[in-house]
Amino acid sequence: MQQQTIEKSVHCSGVGLHSGSKVSLSFHPAPGATGSVFSVQAGKGTRFLRPDPTMVTDTRLCTTLGNGEWTLGTVEHVLAAIRGLGIDNVLVEVHGREIPIMDGSAASFVYLLRQAGVRAQEASRKVLFLTREFSVRDKERWITASPARGLRVKCSIDFPHPLIGQQATTLDWTPQAFIKTVSRARTFGFLHEVEMLQANNLALGGSLDNAVVLDDYGVVNPEGFRFPDEPVRHKLLDFLGDLGLMPYPVWGRFEVHCSGHSLNNAFARGLSENEASLLELVDLKEDHEAAVHEHAPISSEFPVTSS
């Protein structure tokens, strides 16, 4: 019930998935009540930013933050690792315009944070509890949420590919369940899309080392899938990372169907913009028996740009 940070600083480097440029990242301990803060060093000076759903400027292929003068891309996997491990306060120092893609999952960030060690802090942990039902939809894609004590996410996908098809998986969150179930699931794409993207100077850092690539019949990567249902596990990972833009962990029961970064962000923006009517900030140390209040269901539909 206490907030947590890391014991020591740790560092990694790699390539940016979309720029192909070398970038580096460091995690540093942060005081209680800091939250997750990015320190972006690109060009002149350093910019500090506290992630927020309204700061998302692009959801094509990844989640990008910015304010018109600067951008920071591919933040979803590192945010998923931070929230997935139950870390409340950390400074993420980035040299470059992207988070390094590493192996295309959150596994490298999980490894680094565990190597850094996790320690409890005096400040008590705060969680946003859903108080009403809430949903966003874009045609045949949707996210629905309802009050619950704890975090449960059921994710499903439907791709017209012989090795994917219809898949579903559920995470009842604990740090251990996150590590075991979704942290190692890699981003995936289709060979014809990758070739088209790279021909247009996109996904320049993409390779079989950091993504699962499928052709018309199977997996191009020699090692194949890490899990038979790795694609849906990665979609769940992306959802957790995009929800990690909220200032505190959000607890509830979520159903996520065929979502991508655009719909994930529409959902997070809806929560943020309607926080007073949808969410209750609970101090777990002061009131560890806090219950989710029952209210009449409401739903909201937001215009979504497909991606």
Side-chain angles (χ1 to χ4, degrees):
M1 296 181 188
Q2 294 168 279
Q3 292 183 22
Q4 298 187 123
T5 188
I6 56 176
E7 289 274 6
K8 62 182 181 180
S9 298
V10 286
H11 172 83
C12 69
S13 62
V15 299
L17 175 61
H18 303 297
S19 67
S21 301
K22 183 176 180 180
V23 288
S24 63
L25 176 149
S26 300
F27 293 109
H28 303 286
T34 298
S36 298
V37 175
F38 286 105
S39 166
V40 184
Q41 301 186 32
K44 295 182 179 180
T46 300
R47 298 183 183 275
F48 292 90
L49 68 101
R50 194 180 305 276
D52 183 276
T54 63
M55 296 181 65
V56 174
T57 59
D58 197 346
T59 55
R60 294 172 299 172
L61 307 175
C62 69
T63 295
T64 298
L65 305 178
N67 70 350
E69 298 179 0
W70 55 266
T71 60
L72 178 64
T74 323
V75 300
E76 60 273 13
H77 299 164
V78 72
L79 289 174
I82 293 166
R83 285 284 166 85
L85 292 177
I87 295 172
D88 301 281
N89 307 301
V90 64
L91 175 65
V92 186
E93 181 183 341
V94 185
H95 290 259
R97 296 290 188 180
E98 275 189 273
I99 301 295
I101 189 60
M102 308 309 285
D103 72 345
S105 75
S108 296
F109 303 128
V110 167
Y111 174 81
L112 279 172
L113 291 166
R114 296 181 78 190
Q115 288 295 306
V118 178
R119 64 177 175 87
Q121 299 174 284
E122 291 187 6
S124 55
R125 173 168 287 167
K126 292 180 172 61
V127 174
L128 289 167
F129 276 38
L130 271 166
T131 59
R132 299 176 183 267
E133 292 184 1
F134 178 69
S135 67
V136 296
R137 176 181 288 270
D138 177 31
K139 299 177 181 178
E140 299 304 314
R141 307 183 302 149
W142 68 82
I143 302 172
T144 65
S146 57
R149 299 178 68 180
L151 172 61
R152 165 176 276 205
V153 182
K154 179 181 180 181
C155 186
S156 56
I157 60 174
D158 188 356
F159 280 88
H161 188 280
L163 289 189
I164 301 180
Q166 296 180 349
Q167 296 182 359
T169 191
T170 299
L171 172 70
D172 288 304
W173 177 78
T174 65
Q176 294 75 21
F178 169 78
I179 293 168
K180 181 179 180 181
T181 304
V182 298
S183 70
R184 295 179 60 247
R186 296 164 294 176
T187 189
F188 65 97
F190 301 95
L191 185 59
H192 67 278
E193 295 177 347
V194 173
E195 292 170 342
M196 179 186 67
L197 289 168
Q198 294 187 338
N200 288 277
N201 292 319
L202 297 171
L204 298 178
S207 72
L208 297 182
D209 293 328
N210 54 43
V212 180
V213 179
L214 300 99
D215 60 18
D216 291 340
Y217 306 103
V219 178
V220 177
N221 304 59
E223 74 277 14
F225 285 133
R226 289 177 175 173
F227 312 94
D229 60 349
E230 187 171 4
V232 73
R233 295 186 190 217
H234 185 78
K235 287 293 188 180
L236 199 158
L237 177 72
D238 278 347
F239 174 75
L240 292 175
D242 289 335
L243 194 62
L245 292 168
M246 296 293 290
Y248 300 98
V250 181
W251 282 8
R253 184 180 293 108
F254 303 89
E255 291 193 13
V256 182
H257 180 66
C258 294
S259 187
H261 295 301
S262 177
L263 194 65
N264 292 346
N265 184 243
F267 178 80
R269 280 177 181 256
L271 291 179
S272 180
E273 292 167 358
N274 297 277
E275 182 175 345
S277 62
L278 290 174
L279 299 168
E280 177 184 359
L281 184 61
V282 176
D283 187 313
L284 294 182
K285 188 174 182 180
E286 290 182 358
D287 187 7
H288 62 90
E289 296 296 331
V292 175
H293 298 297
E294 296 293 336
H295 293 280
I298 63 170
S299 63
S300 298
E301 302 294 339
F302 289 83
V304 177
T305 301
S306 299
S307 64

